[in-house]
Amino acid sequence: MQTFQSDLEQSITRLKSSRIRTSIAPVGLQCIMLVIFVGWLLLDPYAEPMMTIAAGGIRSFQWSESKDLMIAIAGSLRFNAFIVAVIAFLAVNFWMLVQHVRLRRYALKQLMVTTGLVALWCASAIGWQQITWSGKRMRAAGRLEALDRLAVSLHEDWPQSDGEIEGLGPFNAYPWVRPSVLLLLTPYPLEGTNTVIAAIERSPQGSLRFQLGGEDGGDWIEWHDGNRIPDSFTGGLRDRHQLQRFSRIGSEWYLVRYSEAGAQSS
């Protein structure tokens, strides 16, 4: 009788342990996937355009066009990894749902963990643009050493005509009278990255704006002397740039984003 009772208690203990492991496993996977998702948003320069395209495709139901555009911008390898990650996320969530239904028990601690995970996923999904912007800030801050030397040289001796600067390469200066923009004929690569400087703007107050191309293209890294901060401006080609957002990334340096407002008529 004692032997039977002991075996029964051991069986109950094993069953409880099995249920605990079964309920913890999907939660652990969710935590790992959440860390990977946030890390991807922070570290991959292509995360922002891929998320933007995916969100646009969901809103417009234009799946095929979104797929082609995402492959063209980020490549088939990143696109396939993105699809696999989405499928894995849905599969893990389905597994969690099945486990909850099968066990038919909802401990308070388990419900609190699940609620916390849902909240974290919602925060990441809603705030993905801020996360990718933070990643851009980190990458931009790491490129200031090379830009510092270039900014000092251009601030002291801004070109007055087409020409070539050692290290920077050949450029065209516009407008022809008192030029304020240098269009680089060979994009200037930022060492150790796939990001380049495509053009350089100089404001009447002497601020320098470096337009980024390549992986982190579309934004600007700017140097503003004194108490000046980024603002909307009209470029040397009469193109209007409307300020969207900016963040300080160093002493007198900013990462800036503009929307293109079109060219101004003369």
Side-chain angles (χ1 to χ4, degrees):
M1 183 67 180
Q2 289 181 347
T3 304
F4 174 75
Q5 201 168 18
S6 176
D7 290 342
L8 182 60
E9 289 176 354
Q10 289 178 3
S11 298
I12 294 173
T13 302
R14 283 196 297 269
L15 180 60
K16 287 182 177 179
S17 299
S18 175
R19 286 187 170 185
I20 291 172
R21 287 195 298 269
T22 302
S23 62
I24 289 176
V27 172
L29 280 175
Q30 282 279 6
C31 291
I32 293 172
M33 293 176 67
L34 180 60
V35 170
I36 292 174
F37 177 65
V38 174
W40 173 64
L41 292 177
L42 275 173
L43 301 176
D44 189 359
Y46 291 99
E48 183 176 27
M50 291 180 71
M51 288 293 291
T52 301
I53 295 168
I58 292 172
R59 287 194 298 267
S60 63
F61 298 100
Q62 296 178 341
W63 312 109
S64 179
E65 292 83 349
S66 298
K67 169 193 168 185
D68 295 339
L69 183 58
M70 197 178 293
I71 292 175
I73 292 177
S76 58
L77 182 61
R78 275 187 172 87
F79 173 77
N80 291 333
F82 182 79
I83 295 300
V84 169
V86 171
I87 294 173
F89 172 74
L90 295 175
V92 169
N93 278 280
F94 180 74
W95 182 24
M96 288 185 69
L97 179 62
V98 169
Q99 294 301 325
H100 281 310
V101 173
R102 188 173 69 84
L103 294 175
R104 298 180 183 177
R105 293 182 65 183
Y106 302 93
L108 178 60
K109 188 175 182 180
Q110 187 176 1
L111 285 173
M112 289 178 64
V113 171
T114 303
T115 303
L117 274 173
V118 171
L120 288 173
W121 272 111
C122 289
S124 300
I126 294 172
W128 68 265
Q129 290 175 313
Q130 184 58 46
I131 298 174
T132 56
W133 180 256
S134 297
K136 279 179 173 284
R137 286 180 59 191
M138 292 189 299
R139 292 190 294 274
R143 296 161 185 164
L144 294 184
E145 186 177 350
L147 288 177
D148 255 325
R149 297 189 296 269
L150 184 58
V152 169
S153 173
L154 292 173
H155 183 67
E156 293 176 350
D157 186 18
W158 180 258
Q160 298 302 312
S161 61
D162 297 349
E164 182 172 354
I165 296 177
E166 185 178 355
L168 184 64
F171 58 84
N172 288 334
Y174 293 97
W176 292 314
V177 178
R178 300 173 66 181
S180 61
V181 58
L182 307 180
L183 300 183
L184 306 187
L185 302 181
T186 303
Y188 176 74
L190 295 176
E191 188 176 354
T193 72
N194 291 322
T195 302
V196 299
I197 300 297
I200 305 171
E201 293 265 4
R202 183 177 184 271
S203 73
Q205 295 78 28
S207 298
L208 295 172
R209 302 181 174 99
F210 299 87
Q211 185 178 23
L212 300 179
E215 280 188 345
D216 273 319
D219 295 317
W220 300 65
I221 295 179
E222 300 187 3
W223 176 82
H224 293 268
D225 192 11
N227 295 322
R228 297 188 183 92
I229 60 174
D231 198 2
S232 303
F233 72 98
T234 300
L237 299 178
R238 307 300 296 167
D239 48 335
R240 179 69 179 166
H241 299 269
Q242 188 68 37
L243 180 68
Q244 282 191 341
R245 66 187 305 180
F246 68 89
S247 297
R248 183 186 291 273
I249 56 175
S251 177
E252 300 179 332
W253 285 96
Y254 299 86
L255 177 66
V256 190
R257 175 167 296 174
Y258 299 97
S259 61
E260 300 292 331
Q264 282 191 350
S265 57
S266 302

